[in-house]
Amino acid sequence: MSDFQTIYNRKNTHSYKWDHVQTVFQTDDILPMWVADMDFKAPEAVNQALKERAEHGIYGYTIINDDIKNSVKNWVQYKHNWDIETDWLSFSPGVITSLHVAIQSFTKANDKILLQTPVYTPFFNIIRNGNREVVENPLVYNGEKYEIDFADFEQKLQQGVKAFILCSPHNPVGRVWTKDELLKMAKLCIKYDVLLFADEIHADLVFDGYTHIPMASISEEIAEQTITCMSPTKTFNLAGLQASFIVTTDRKKRVVINRELAQQGFSMLNTMGVIALEAAYESGKPWLTDLMDVLLEHKRYAKKKLEEETNGILKVIDSEATYLLWVDCSKLHIDDKDLQTFMIEQAKVGLNPGSAYGKDGEQFMRINIACPKATLEDGINRIIRAVNHLKK
């Protein structure tokens, strides 16, 4: 059984999550539950492989050979029942890098790119920093879960959208899109000749009862319209090692992507990232199985406790994937800025404000539950005490 209960001190390790809180929250007197990495050690097979490589002591340029490509191919087949070819693979330091490359490769200045908000903050940045225009298709929150407004989706595509960044599974709302939903989106993109850039970095972190379907796996026609971005980094807590891959079935598009990667200086991964990727995909299955059991228990605990012990003031969206909880705080009846201040100064927890994911995220907070149970209990209790004190 993997160890997900030991509390490790991550301070003074150059951790963005733990060592950057003073800058982000203007205090270090908080419990950080924000950045989407885990407070768990990576699988032992990964750590052992990295140790062995470090003992070798020479860190020259490192190739991505057929063994590594086959590790990716086999993992995608095992986890998502998608039979990809190794020739379809390109590699980059991260999914955001991959999306940036896709945007630079297939759109031009002032082009419109569609997002389904509230959505992962860096999507806005890579679009705007590239002098493209963000077009929003707000997801519809029905009080329990989020759904797609397909009438609005089609209307926005009709306005000349050139590309659509699909977040699947969705961060932060935790949806795992059904095959019907994916098909409807894909058919509309094909109808209006809109490229699909699929961020599927959370694909491996899906709870029982739900199935992640890679958009490009549905049909050859959809695959030719889609560029898929995946990575082991969220799955196995390897974000700092920077290793991801792009799946592009269309040869002409793949040539363009590889040329853009080379022009951007991303023709090679770092040595440790390559080692970690291969070790995780070859030997990480048991660790991931244990992790998902822990995350399911954590999700149930946090949802039940936050809702019951605040008498329904807080509402936790029942996530279908990821280790991120999306919490509806609207019944606190405080504005968005004051909500952020409340969580920092009264609850003393560092969370991601929902407004960071677009206007539709206002009155929500995002909580990272990928931490030892004792840490989670501490954070949840801090929030409950603060909420209940506010109600008095």
Side-chain angles (χ1 to χ4, degrees):
M1 180 69 179
S2 305
D3 177 16
F4 297 104
Q5 301 308 323
T6 299
I7 297 176
Y8 297 99
N9 183 5
R10 295 186 62 192
K11 292 182 178 179
N12 301 314
T13 63
H14 305 294
S15 164
Y16 190 82
K17 180 178 179 180
W18 286 85
D19 291 330
H20 201 48
V21 293
Q22 178 68 52
T23 301
V24 173
F25 299 100
Q26 286 75 57
T27 178
D28 57 8
D29 183 26
I30 60 166
L31 181 66
M33 302 180 77
W34 58 307
V35 174
D37 68 15
M38 306 188 225
D39 292 329
F40 304 135
K41 281 192 174 182
E44 184 55 31
V46 171
N47 292 330
Q48 188 58 41
L50 292 172
K51 288 176 184 176
E52 290 175 4
R53 187 65 184 82
E55 286 174 359
H56 184 268
I58 300 174
Y59 310 111
Y61 298 116
T62 302
I63 62 170
I64 297 174
N65 60 17
D66 288 341
D67 289 341
I68 294 165
K69 291 178 181 178
N70 280 317
S71 293
V72 173
K73 172 183 169 64
N74 293 338
W75 180 265
V76 173
Q77 173 64 46
Y78 155 73
K79 196 67 182 167
H80 306 296
N81 197 31
W82 184 19
D83 187 17
I84 66 173
E85 300 294 331
T86 56
D87 288 347
W88 299 350
L89 295 172
S90 307
F91 291 82
S92 88
V95 164
I96 291 301
T97 300
S98 300
L99 290 171
H100 166 74
V101 165
I103 288 170
Q104 293 297 313
S105 297
F106 301 108
T107 68
K108 59 183 184 296
N110 302 314
D111 277 354
K112 297 177 179 179
I113 300 178
L114 186 75
L115 299 178
Q116 292 177 314
T117 54
V119 74
Y120 187 46
T121 310
F123 290 175
F124 295 95
N125 300 336
I126 55 174
I127 294 171
R128 289 168 179 157
N129 290 344
N131 197 27
R132 274 68 167 169
E133 179 184 343
V134 173
V135 176
E136 298 185 23
N137 167 228
L139 297 173
V140 179
Y141 175 49
N142 64 16
E144 293 293 330
K145 62 187 289 187
Y146 283 82
E147 297 174 338
I148 298 167
D149 183 343
F150 281 102
D152 181 76
F153 186 87
E154 182 168 13
Q155 184 182 53
K156 297 294 172 59
L157 296 191
Q158 291 172 337
Q159 296 174 5
V161 166
K162 298 300 182 183
F164 162 44
I165 300 180
L166 169 70
C167 194
S168 177
H170 194 281
N171 172 19
V173 308
R175 274 300 314 276
V176 175
W177 305 118
T178 65
K179 187 173 184 179
D180 284 346
E181 289 170 320
L182 292 169
L183 266 171
K184 287 179 75 172
M185 288 188 283
K187 287 179 178 178
L188 288 169
C189 286
I190 291 169
K191 179 179 179 180
Y192 295 102
D193 194 23
V194 174
L195 284 174
L196 269 158
F197 302 153
D199 170 9
E200 302 188 12
I201 195 170
H202 293 278
D204 301 330
L205 300 170
V206 173
F207 294 113
D208 287 345
Y210 303 95
T211 302
H212 172 77
I213 302 171
M215 176 63 93
S217 72
I218 297 175
S219 74
E220 288 186 12
E221 183 182 26
I222 293 172
E224 289 179 0
Q225 197 78 6
T226 305
I227 293 164
T228 305
C229 305
M230 288 180 158
S231 173
T233 54
K234 285 287 185 282
T235 309
F236 298 104
N237 205 27
L238 309 176
L241 294 175
Q242 298 188 317
S244 78
F245 57 94
I246 308 167
V247 185
T248 315
T249 65
D250 182 82
R251 188 189 66 81
K252 290 182 179 178
K253 290 186 180 68
R254 191 165 61 250
V255 168
V256 173
I257 284 175
N258 289 337
R259 182 170 63 239
E260 183 68 25
L261 282 167
Q263 288 176 350
Q264 300 268 351
F266 297 130
S267 57
M268 189 175 294
L269 294 186
N270 78 76
T271 300
M272 293 310 198
V274 171
I275 296 296
L277 179 149
E278 184 177 24
Y281 283 158
E282 289 294 325
S283 306
K285 294 176 186 176
W287 184 92
L288 180 57
T289 298
D290 292 343
L291 171 71
M292 293 311 299
D293 289 342
V294 169
L295 294 181
L296 180 59
E297 178 190 339
H298 283 195
K299 180 186 75 161
R300 288 172 173 168
Y301 165 83
K303 179 174 173 60
K304 179 179 173 63
K305 196 168 177 71
L306 283 172
E307 292 182 350
E308 289 185 357
E309 297 195 18
T310 65
N311 293 316
I313 295 294
L314 299 182
K315 171 75 175 177
V316 180
I317 309 307
D318 191 6
S319 64
E320 301 166 357
T322 83
Y323 49 77
L324 306 164
L325 291 188
W326 190 237
V327 183
D328 183 351
C329 305
S330 59
K331 289 184 180 178
L332 285 172
H333 301 298
I334 53 180
D335 67 33
D336 192 70
K337 187 64 177 177
D338 288 341
L339 175 61
Q340 296 177 44
T341 301
F342 169 77
M343 289 296 177
I344 297 167
E345 296 183 357
Q346 304 303 316
K348 295 192 179 297
V349 290
L351 309 180
N352 292 101
S355 55
Y357 305 92
K359 185 173 178 56
D360 301 287
E362 291 181 1
Q363 300 298 307
F364 286 81
M365 301 296 287
R366 194 188 77 168
I367 304 176
N368 182 343
I369 61 170
C371 55
K373 184 66 175 293
T375 304
L376 179 66
E377 290 174 346
D378 183 12
I380 296 302
N381 285 329
R382 290 179 186 214
I383 295 169
I384 291 169
R385 283 195 299 269
V387 169
N388 290 336
H389 180 74
L390 184 68
K391 291 188 298 180
K392 291 178 180 179

